[in-house]
Structures are given as C-alpha cells and as structure tokens.
Amino acid sequence: MVNDRKYQYLISWNPKGTSFLIFSASRFAQEVLPEHFKHSNFSSFVRQLNMYGFHKINKSPRSQRGNSKNGVWEFSHIKFQRGCPELLEEIKRKSIDSE
C-alpha cells in the first residue's frame, strides 16, 4: 500500500522511511482501504495498526486536531521501515496480556 505509486497522493513514506503518512483519511478510507480490506472504516484501520504496535505521531497542536479526517496522519513502528521487508515478519499482533 505504502509503496504503491497509484496511491502516493494518499499514503507515502516520510522522507527518512521511518514512518508513513496518510493524507486525507476520508479519501484514503474510500479509495484505498476497500482495495486491501473487507471494510472502508478508517477508525478500524487505525485500531488494527495499534493492535500491531504502530503509534500515531501527533504533529498538530491540540487546538487544531478537530478536523482530523482531512488532516495528515502519521504512523510509525520500529520494524516497519522503507526498504527493510525482512523486518515485517517481526511485527506481531499484541496479546491481550501485553496491553
């Protein structure tokens, strides 16, 4: 998804390749999610990211976070790095005990 040039205007790596950005959550949910998942619910996608240990990086001040559906969302995971597919097998779903 992140490497697919077809969706670069909606999802891409940050310049260092250590996180990915989603531009316009509502368009991402409508156009990208149905291509890869059985749903188009952005909140469910974020919940799945969290269950696999991804973290949202907040860049906007608290007072400007109201319109998040059209803003930029950034997520990172220490094992999700551009050009390092060998790390992907180390990303595991969190167990209930580890939460």
Side-chain angles (χ1 to χ4, degrees):
M1 212 184 322
V2 182
N3 292 326
D4 191 340
R5 292 190 184 277
K6 178 180 171 184
Y7 300 120
Q8 261 188 334
Y9 66 103
L10 291 174
I11 183 171
S12 68
W13 291 103
N14 75 344
K16 292 183 179 180
T18 56
S19 64
F20 67 93
L21 301 114
I22 295 174
F23 312 99
S24 179
S26 57
R27 287 192 64 196
F28 176 81
Q30 290 173 335
E31 298 176 33
V32 181
L33 289 182
E35 296 286 324
H36 299 275
F37 302 98
K38 294 178 183 176
H39 66 81
S40 60
N41 187 320
F42 187 73
S43 296
S44 294
F45 176 71
V46 171
R47 198 168 18 260
Q48 287 293 315
L49 288 174
N50 291 332
M51 287 173 48
Y52 281 87
F54 284 80
H55 300 283
K56 182 177 185 292
I57 300 170
N58 288 325
K59 294 198 168 227
S60 59
R62 286 188 190 272
S63 61
Q64 297 176 4
R65 292 186 193 159
N67 194 10
S68 60
K69 283 290 183 191
N70 294 317
V72 176
W73 291 64
E74 185 171 4
F75 297 93
S76 69
H77 189 292
I78 192 114
K79 302 289 184 182
F80 193 71
Q81 309 286 317
R82 180 178 54 213
C84 299
E86 69 280 1
L87 296 176
L88 295 176
E89 64 187 37
E90 297 180 41
I91 299 176
K92 308 285 186 209
R93 187 173 176 160
K94 290 181 185 179
S95 66
I96 294 172
D97 297 337
S98 69
E99 293 180 11

